[in-house]
Amino acid sequence: MNAIAVYDGTDEPVVTEKPRPEPSPGEALVRTLRVGVDGTDHEVISGSHGGSPEGEDHLVMGHEAVGVIEEPNDTPFEVGDVVVPTVRRPPNGANEYFARGEPDMAPNGQYHERGIVGAHGFMAEYFTSPAEFLVEIPPALAEWGFLVEPVSIAEKAIEHAYASRSAFHWEPESALILGNGSLGLLTVATLDKEFDRIYCLGRRERPDPTIDIIESLGATYVNSNETPVPSVPAAHEPMDFVFEATGYAPHAFETIEALAPNGVGALLGVPSDWEFEIDGGRLHREFVLHNKALVGSVNSGYEHFEAAIDSLSRFSDTFLGDLVTGVHGLDDFEAAFADDDTTIKTAVEFSAYEER
Amino acid sequence: MNAIAVYDGTDEPVVTEKPRPEPSPGEALVRTLRVGVDGTDHEVISGSHGGSPEGEDHLVMGHEAVGVIEEPNDTPFEVGDVVVPTVRRPPNGANEYFARGEPDMAPNGQYHERGIVGAHGFMAEYFTSPAEFLVEIPPALAEWGFLVEPVSIAEKAIEHAYASRSAFHWEPESALILGNGSLGLLTVATLDKEFDRIYCLGRRERPDPTIDIIESLGATYVNSNETPVPSVPAAHEPMDFVFEATGYAPHAFETIEALAPNGVGALLGVPSDWEFEIDGGRLHREFVLHNKALVGSVNSGYEHFEAAIDSLSRFSDTFLGDLVTGVHGLDDFEAAFADDDTTIKTAVEFSAYEER
């Protein structure tokens, strides 16, 4: 079968021939429909993040997949069920984090991430997976199912942020999403039902398709060239919730200044080392005197995939159509890895979904 | 009656004569037993924090008080009940935070703090308070009742830290308290039942009475001159919980490095402005990839006073006797404001408790 892989020491994905996998006991065989591309994939390709499975010279890409059950192989699934795989796998048998259904909380060394580090991904015509790592989704969502994983990332961060405010009465009204990439835009749509006023900050100048999407969702675009993060409270309002999806390290600390009293910031970016100066005294004082919180969040668990399915089912086809700027077949897969101002979210299509 | 106040433009507390207060409807008159002194008092005296009530030229000091009901004045209390007052008061009638019993979550401008900002404190022979801001304590704790307020500060921070980890299974074992001042030592004692291994970091060299207390509580002293905060994981272990009680701003950011995966740091210090360099990229990345959290915490609510009474009742008399290095009468009150290496925790005694 065909797969898309990046070979060690190279910096672009290629189509490669792999044997079709055989499901082991407890595993189902899945025919891949679509696999999304995100910033992590670009980091994997450039070599700044992730790595091939031990003893192999390449990594099959892709961690945002949707497929249909081809062979249930005595798992609870039926042929034709539409499923989304979770990303983390236990490296050496199970460990306590996987046993609890919280692989997203496993520390370094206690997980592989399919398509990212230590385990092949889903960019292949078929993949196998233990049934416990497959989440069934409604067939109506098959087309957009590759968005379940990125939305689940937002769901987890939102859940942890809310938990951090659960010791007191918290009725958030305003949210600021830092970053107008695909995760930022999906988060604007996800938070739509929770917040009265949503802002999304980016570096783009008008006209720009992401700004159009932000405004079509009823949110306010904040141009960071005109309004840096620390100026947001004065220019707009202090924010009850800030969701950082940029990987731009100064934003992690500026978030403290953008928050309203009792607010919380969720950090999701994964920057490289970068030394810079902050007014640490002022930030520390502000953090304490106004009961602020920051939570870091990575990956997602099974329940976040479930929450993401709920959210995805609420998104309008207009929004999804605007967000997904390209779905490319194997003959054209390079286009799915484009990273320019007209590309928002892309996927590689391995096979079309046909309703039974 | 006698009171201890600091006059605007001066930098030391003096005994001053004030009229004995008359309780308004809903208020009880309290005869003051003891009032503790802490770092905030020193900041108020130096003028770096807090301020006198509007239109007045002085502030009666003291926010850590214990007293006995002198005149219940138709409140639910009886003469002789031992009570501890909470600190925050609504500035102009009630507001939503006070109505919810969460004055500690009120933002700037929505509270006064008795003895700190905008309202006179409890360092007087008598004070009045609305009954709702008085917490009854067991008479057996009367002697140490002035410690309820500082312990309540720790209880709130601990509650918020735990809340931030409530979205997943969290079984913390190791805790690091930054600061061996009285709040740090009270926190070591408070956390004793929760954690298997407790560390307390300070700048003192042996022999030192705070180190003796730390070790008598079964905790490990960490000398920050030998082991800076970022080195604690390598020298000891990564910490599930860090409690910052120093006001030393670099510690707020170094806390991220001291934390174990999925750990949380509670920040309580209130530093002045201070610019310094950090490796913000590394800290941001570490925060995200290991699901870490930071919560800022100020003041405390009624339920935290209740929790503090429980904790205080568990503390041994040996610990309390070692911690409280001086209880001084009005003739000797200056000694309670000493701030040297032999002083740990002090109080001013306005009257002795006599069991009925």
Side-chain angles (χ1 to χ4, degrees):
Chain A
M1 67 173 186
N2 288 309
I4 296 174
V6 63
Y7 281 80
D8 296 352
T10 72
D11 61 358
E12 54 182 10
V14 294
V15 173
T16 191
E17 181 71 20
K18 305 270 292 184
R20 176 168 148 172
E22 293 290 335
S24 301
E27 290 188 334
L29 178 71
V30 181
R31 176 167 56 82
T32 309
L33 295 172
R34 292 175 171 184
V35 184
V37 175
D38 76 351
T40 300
D41 293 310
H42 288 288
E43 289 168 16
V44 168
I45 291 167
S46 73
S48 68
H49 188 64
S52 300
E54 201 178 323
E56 303 206 31
D57 65 352
H58 68 286
L59 176 75
V60 175
M61 300 285 305
H63 58 281
E64 303 179 348
V66 60
V68 291
I69 297 290
E70 179 88 4
E71 287 177 20
N73 191 35
D74 292 331
T75 66
F77 293 105
E78 293 179 19
V79 172
D81 284 351
V82 184
V83 293
V84 168
T86 61
V87 177
R88 287 195 171 176
R89 296 291 180 275
N92 308 301
N95 59 46
E96 60 173 317
Y97 299 97
F98 285 85
R100 282 198 293 266
E102 295 177 346
D104 52 310
M105 303 309 291
N108 256 349
Q110 304 232 34
Y111 62 83
H112 292 321
E113 287 180 338
R114 291 194 65 167
I116 301 173
V117 61
H120 287 309
F122 307 114
M123 282 197 179
E125 290 175 273
Y126 296 90
F127 64 87
T128 57
S129 172
E132 68 200 272
F133 300 129
L134 295 173
V135 184
E136 189 173 353
I137 72 168
L141 291 179
E143 189 181 10
W144 307 115
F146 64 96
L147 297 172
V148 169
E149 196 276 343
V151 174
S152 78
I153 299 297
E155 299 285 0
K156 175 187 166 177
I158 294 164
E159 187 200 19
H160 280 230
Y162 271 73
S164 81
R165 312 287 73 189
S166 63
F168 62 95
H169 179 86
W170 191 57
E171 267 188 284
E173 297 179 357
S174 55
L176 171 66
I177 288 88
L178 302 178
N180 57 341
S182 58
L183 180 58
L185 297 174
L186 284 166
T187 304
V188 171
T190 301
L191 291 178
D192 193 32
K193 75 174 198 317
E194 304 266 4
F195 287 83
D196 298 340
R197 298 175 303 282
I198 300 181
Y199 304 80
C200 184
L201 176 140
R203 288 178 301 188
R204 301 280 191 88
E205 302 293 339
R206 297 170 191 270
D208 180 84
T210 66
I211 300 175
D212 293 342
I213 291 177
I214 291 163
E215 294 180 344
S216 75
L217 290 168
T220 301
Y221 179 64
V222 179
N223 182 333
S224 64
N225 300 307
E226 297 162 7
T227 310
V229 176
S231 304
V232 168
H236 297 283
E237 60 180 310
M239 299 293 163
D240 295 316
F241 181 42
V242 174
F243 183 99
E244 179 275 322
T246 61
Y248 180 73
H251 282 170
F253 306 92
E254 292 167 352
T255 288
I256 300 169
E257 302 185 78
L259 287 172
N262 308 335
V264 56
L267 307 182
L268 289 90
V270 182
S272 301
D273 288 359
W274 182 10
E275 295 195 3
F276 49 81
E277 197 163 81
I278 59 171
D279 188 337
R282 190 162 52 83
L283 293 178
H284 183 180
R285 184 174 70 246
E286 176 58 26
F287 207 74
V288 171
L289 290 182
H290 281 132
N291 294 294
K292 296 181 177 182
L294 287 178
V295 296
S297 182
V298 69
N299 196 252
S300 55
Y302 194 95
E303 68 188 281
H304 309 118
F305 277 72
E306 296 282 11
I309 293 164
D310 284 351
S311 289
L312 190 60
S313 66
R314 283 198 321 273
F315 297 169
S316 75
D317 280 343
T318 307
F319 163 65
L320 292 166
D322 290 344
L323 180 83
V324 178
T325 49
V327 176
H328 304 276
L330 267 180
D331 55 341
D332 184 29
F333 79 93
E334 294 92 342
F337 291 93
D339 194 12
D340 56 43
D341 279 5
T342 61
T343 302
I344 303 177
K345 184 71 184 178
T346 59
V348 179
E349 184 165 78
F350 288 84
S351 63
Y353 178 64
E354 288 161 26
E355 272 190 74
R356 284 169 188 256
Chain B
M1 67 171 187
N2 288 309
I4 297 174
V6 63
Y7 280 80
D8 296 352
T10 72
D11 62 358
E12 53 182 10
V14 294
V15 174
T16 190
E17 182 71 20
K18 305 269 293 182
R20 176 168 148 172
E22 292 290 333
S24 301
E27 292 188 332
L29 178 71
V30 182
R31 177 168 55 84
T32 310
L33 295 173
R34 292 174 171 184
V35 183
V37 175
D38 76 351
T40 301
D41 293 310
H42 288 289
E43 289 168 17
V44 168
I45 292 167
S46 74
S48 68
H49 189 63
S52 300
E54 202 178 321
E56 302 206 32
D57 65 352
H58 68 285
L59 176 74
V60 175
M61 301 285 306
H63 58 281
E64 302 178 348
V66 59
V68 290
I69 297 290
E70 177 88 4
E71 287 178 20
N73 191 33
D74 291 333
T75 65
F77 292 105
E78 292 179 20
V79 173
D81 284 351
V82 184
V83 293
V84 168
T86 62
V87 176
R88 287 196 171 176
R89 296 292 180 275
N92 308 300
N95 59 47
E96 59 173 317
Y97 300 95
F98 285 85
R100 282 199 293 267
E102 295 177 346
D104 52 310
M105 302 308 291
N108 257 350
Q110 303 231 37
Y111 62 82
H112 292 320
E113 287 181 337
R114 292 194 65 168
I116 301 173
V117 61
H120 288 307
F122 305 115
M123 283 197 179
E125 289 176 89
Y126 296 89
F127 64 86
T128 58
S129 172
E132 69 201 273
F133 298 128
L134 295 173
V135 183
E136 189 174 351
I137 72 168
L141 291 178
E143 189 182 8
W144 307 114
F146 64 95
L147 298 172
V148 169
E149 197 276 342
V151 174
S152 78
I153 299 298
E155 299 284 1
K156 175 186 166 178
I158 295 164
E159 187 199 19
H160 280 231
Y162 270 74
S164 80
R165 311 288 73 189
S166 63
F168 63 95
H169 179 87
W170 191 57
E171 268 188 284
E173 297 179 356
S174 55
L176 170 66
I177 289 87
L178 302 178
N180 56 340
S182 58
L183 181 58
L185 297 175
L186 285 166
T187 304
V188 171
T190 300
L191 291 178
D192 193 34
K193 75 173 196 320
E194 306 265 3
F195 287 83
D196 298 339
R197 299 174 303 282
I198 299 180
Y199 303 81
C200 184
L201 176 140
R203 289 179 299 188
R204 302 280 191 89
E205 302 294 338
R206 296 170 192 271
D208 180 83
T210 67
I211 300 175
D212 294 340
I213 291 176
I214 290 164
E215 295 180 344
S216 74
L217 289 168
T220 300
Y221 179 64
V222 179
N223 182 334
S224 64
N225 299 307
E226 297 161 7
T227 311
V229 175
S231 303
V232 167
H236 298 282
E237 60 180 310
M239 299 293 161
D240 296 315
F241 181 43
V242 174
F243 182 100
E244 178 275 321
T246 61
Y248 180 74
H251 281 170
F253 305 93
E254 293 167 351
T255 288
I256 300 169
E257 301 184 78
L259 287 172
N262 308 336
V264 56
L267 307 182
L268 290 89
V270 183
S272 301
D273 288 359
W274 183 11
E275 296 195 4
F276 50 82
E277 198 163 81
I278 59 171
D279 188 337
R282 191 163 50 82
L283 293 178
H284 183 179
R285 184 175 71 247
E286 175 58 26
F287 207 73
V288 171
L289 290 182
H290 281 133
N291 295 294
K292 296 182 178 183
L294 288 178
V295 297
S297 181
V298 68
N299 196 252
S300 55
Y302 194 95
E303 69 189 279
H304 308 118
F305 277 72
E306 297 280 11
I309 294 165
D310 283 352
S311 290
L312 190 60
S313 66
R314 283 198 321 274
F315 296 169
S316 74
D317 279 344
T318 307
F319 164 65
L320 292 166
D322 290 343
L323 180 84
V324 178
T325 48
V327 177
H328 304 276
L330 267 180
D331 55 339
D332 184 29
F333 78 93
E334 294 92 343
F337 291 93
D339 195 12
D340 55 44
D341 278 6
T342 60
T343 302
I344 304 176
K345 185 71 183 178
T346 58
V348 178
E349 184 165 78
F350 288 85
S351 62
Y353 178 63
E354 287 162 28
E355 273 190 74
R356 282 164 192 264

